[in-house]
Amino acid sequence: MPEPASPRRLAAIEKVRDRLRDLHGVDPTPLGQRALAAYHHRFRITSGWRVPVDFGEPTPRRLDVLIPKGFPLARPQFGLVDRPPFLTWPHIERDGSLCLLANMSEYDPDDPAGVVVRLLGKSCSLVEELLAGPMVERDFRDEFLTYWRYDRDASDGRLTSILQLEQPSREIAVWQAPGIRLLGNDDAQITSWLRNRYGADALRRSRLERGLLMWLDRPMLPSEYPRTARDVRALAEKCGGEVPHLLSNIVSAQQDSIVTVIAAEGRFGPGIVTATITSPKGARSRGRSTAPLYDGFRPSHLPDGPLMRRYLGTEPIVRDEPRRADAPWIHGRGHDQRTARLMGATVTVMGCGSVGAPVAVALAQAGVGHLNLVDYDALDWPNVGRHPLGAASVRGNKAEGLAAKLRGDYPHGRFDAFPITAQAMLAVHGETLGESHLIVSAMGDWRAESQLNDWQCRLGRPMPVVYGWTEAHAVAGHAVAITPGGGCLRCGLDRTGVPNFPVAIWPDQGAIAFEEPACGAHYQPYGPVELGFVTSLIAQLALDCLLGKVPHPCHRIHAARRASLFEAGGRWSDRWLDQYPALTEGGVQVEREWPSGTCAACSASSMG
């Protein structure tokens, strides 16, 4: 039995009925069950009315006002009863429902009648524009992917594209595997992507085929969508240039299928769809009337003419849409202007612990194309609580485990692990460091960071280095960018590596750290939530350096809320109170100049 309607719903429906009666002067005609059932089940329409609307035509057109389950919290829908065949007009779905609002649009559930009247007005305006004509072609082309999706006859979730979406038309590679059908620019790109995503075993259970990318001058109208292999051939000839020749060459390979990718630039960026041609080999066994590919010829002696006519004949094609997994789509859905620059960048992260590893993950997520990960240490159980790697990586090297994770998560990127110390990295792989556009140091080791600072200064600071660290209990975090010119790291630290600008002080030194009962190791019991503010601070400064936004050395600080500081047993330092007297409540980020002086490293580099 259907659930009884709530008093609020019944009152809302009554208000809508009254408003429609006031608008038209008569009671609106209620919809019967057969009319309601004609609308797509996702709306869960439970009631509604049919109203005539005069659009200046000989006969009024009828609009349905549709009330879904959950109304007035769920928004009303509208349908056009008197409409042309599907895909003659845009913004009208197969069942006649009108597309009036974006998915994220808000409406007022406390004014149900007002909402219905406003949307009814939008419905009438839409029909008037459709009748006028100009919007029909414009919107079909602007929203090409939407309407192709309505008309496709397949939905293969395995179909994935990592194609570079730019002209010209060209031959592409198609990798057919059990769990994925991957469209790529070439064999090398596809092989690298699959190895990163699934491991080397995936390559042994796959096969490479040839495909074709056809780039159109403008998106197609629904009436232009290809339906047969012959239509695809006509589309290739319309593209002109080398495209017909490329298609002929692929047909000559006599593959079981040919995936043709159709691309065009729309209002919201490039879009791609696929039209797959199936080989007519053995057509009779599949119950088709078309002659099999080799009828009357030996396979090795089939002339080009009959081959083209039979392969590109009247057989239906399979229309589908691939899921995009290319870097610009993943890192900004094709509209983040930073992606190209970041994908071309190389960053070396030295120290892949609870600070460096989240920073590396954030940089990979932001779109940095190449990360070198340096850490000699193994992951242990106490690390898991605030590290991106989990139990499966315990006892494994942090750099190697993190690189493997990032390869699987972002298979279009490059992630190299160096399971060695920072000193070994500087001594053995100095050339790799020198090729980096940025170095991020989260080692928390004064000796190692001092050596890195001296190396950078000795080379003339060819790239920025971002140093990041936390204060006790993560009540404060620091990110320092050392760029060409200005002070180096040592200019803001004392001779033992202690920063000259602490945010917190600890009257009770015993509150700074706890000691493990067995091994005597010291630790501070804070988690990833507190640490997240600090790692975000460091990652943001790293991105700003890569994007050329940090011309001079700078120091960014995150200070936790005062309550967190006091609960941990700390107090604001005199330096903090003196420079930021209005920020004693904490929960802030600030930026200050990094000191510039005559430290030993700066003096040595200036003497050259």
Side-chain angles (χ1 to χ4, degrees), residues 18 32 35 57 160 216 234 240 289 313 325 355 417 426 437 459 462 479 486 492 584 592:
D18 291 344
E57 300 174 292
T160 305
L216 307 184
S289 59
V355 174
L426 288 165
H437 297 91
L459 295 183
T584 56
R592 59 189 292 269

Side-chain angles (χ1 to χ4, degrees), residues 382-452:
N383 307 138
V384 170
R386 53 192 189 197
H387 199 282
L389 299 177
S393 299
V394 167
R395 298 177 62 186
N397 176 264
K398 292 177 181 178
E400 292 177 331
L402 186 59
K405 169 184 169 55
L406 293 176
R407 289 188 202 108
D409 290 345
Y410 309 98
H412 54 276
R414 177 181 169 187
F415 306 98
D416 296 325
F418 295 84
I420 55 177
T421 64
Q423 292 84 351
M425 189 71 186
L426 288 165
V428 179
H429 298 285
E431 184 177 348
T432 298
L433 286 174
E435 294 171 349
S436 302
H437 297 91
L438 171 72
I439 298 172
V440 176
S441 175
M443 295 181 286
D445 181 331
W446 166 234
R447 187 177 70 165
E449 293 189 324
S450 175
Q451 291 178 0
L452 174 61

Side-chain angles (χ1 to χ4, degrees), residues 89-90 127-139:
W89 281 351
V127 175
E128 288 173 348
E129 289 190 74
L130 293 171
L131 288 168
M135 85 172 304
V136 174
E137 179 174 340
R138 182 196 68 212
D139 287 14

Side-chain angles (χ1 to χ4, degrees), residues 577-591:
L577 292 173
D578 178 61
Q579 191 157 347
Y580 302 107
L583 302 181
T584 56
E585 287 299 317
V588 295
Q589 290 186 1
V590 299
E591 180 171 335

Side-chain angles (χ1 to χ4, degrees), residues 594-606:
W594 186 248
S596 177
T598 56
C599 72
C602 289
S603 299
S605 62
S606 63

